[in-house]
Amino acid sequence: MLNVEKLRGDFPVLKDNPQLSYLDSAASALKPNCVIEAVNDYYAKLGVNVHRGVYKLSYLATDAYEEARNKIANFINADFDEIVFTRGASASLNLVALSYGLTNLKEGDEVITTELEHHSSCMPWINVCAKTKAKLIYVPLNEEGRITIENFKSVLTKNTKLVAITYVSNVMGYITPIEEIIKLAHSVGAVVSVDAAQAVPHMKVDVKKLDCDFLAFSGHKICGPTGIGVLYGKAKLLADMPPIEFGGDMADDVNLHEMTFKDAPYRFETGTPIIAGAIGLAKAIEYVEAIGLDEIAKYEYFLKEKALAELKKIPNVVIYNATAETGIITFNIKNVHPHDAASVFDNNDVCLRAGHHCAQLIIKWLKTVGTVRASFYFYNTVEDVEKFVKSVKEAQEFFSSL
Ligand code: C6P
């Protein structure tokens, strides 16, 4: 088991608000001191631009920025030049669609996605398919709302050119069997874009082992800064992809009517990059790796199961994802709007999310207007679980008495 009390001491928000039960890490994880210090150090000790300055301070900033890329590449077992820094998972997934998708898709082609996607994983393809006239096809979900191999096979055809799929659903917390899905997609020559925003902070991800073509995640969900994300792309794919933004630092040669660009990843990082964000993200990864991703996954699951066991005993609670493998619980109190329920949690200093979670397709599939979602991370405690369960009971009793 983790030394949770010691770890909690690393988080100023938890120190300053000991009464808080923060159960919204799927939205954004809290930031430990070491990340805050790394970001602060960049501004305090360097604070200059990268790749441009011809002076020592700028060389040091460039080294720190590129060292961050190296650290992140090693973390997911990618090569250095396969890591593109972006603003976040949303920007990464849009980059795949607008660059790879718009260039390679045409009428008659098929794109497979699912109703479990976050908007950032499906909307870029709704847009690109409308523009290219490629057909967007959804994997039928099974009765639990899961993506199964059988159902994936049922929509895979020789026309499938791209698969846009979530690794872990931000609403249901299910882990998609992507390794097998990627193999199947490759067997028909399709490229796979994996949304790993909810996977990378919670489990070891190895892009070579998965053999995915693209993989996206955000820094802020793994205790890193906001405003920084990563797109992993296989080098041979990135090499042929056009940039989607033009300007500073990504140009090779610019003439009056034509231009050429730097190689990947730099051609996709237009303008002054997110230097402090990249450095902070590398520090966050170092921090999370030192705790151990396997330990984190086990502990979150333990907390989630503990909460679930209690939730099941409360009348009028509908649990949508009882079999999830990760630390996410999605539920409703019968006849209570999730936003109304959320106010009770807030009164008790339990932070969680209510609504459609930017994943309206699965909310509609569940035939509801939204859900309440609790998501656990390594800094949560059994006391957080108890407070959460007490709040569910209180909300249920309060609303049933009206
Ligand atoms: N989900 C949630 O509360 P950004 O916002 O770009 O960092 O991440 C987008 C994103 C993409 N995919 C998945 C699976 C996600 O969960 C998210 C972000 C948050 O569930 C905020 S909407």
Side-chain angles (χ1 to χ4, degrees), residues 26-27 88-90 118 120 170 195 197-198 218 220-221 353 358 373:
S90 303
H118 185 275
S120 296
N170 69 319
D195 176 0
Q198 299 289 352
S218 294
H220 67 97
K221 291 189 203 287
R353 190 168 172 187
C358 303
R373 181 189 70 185

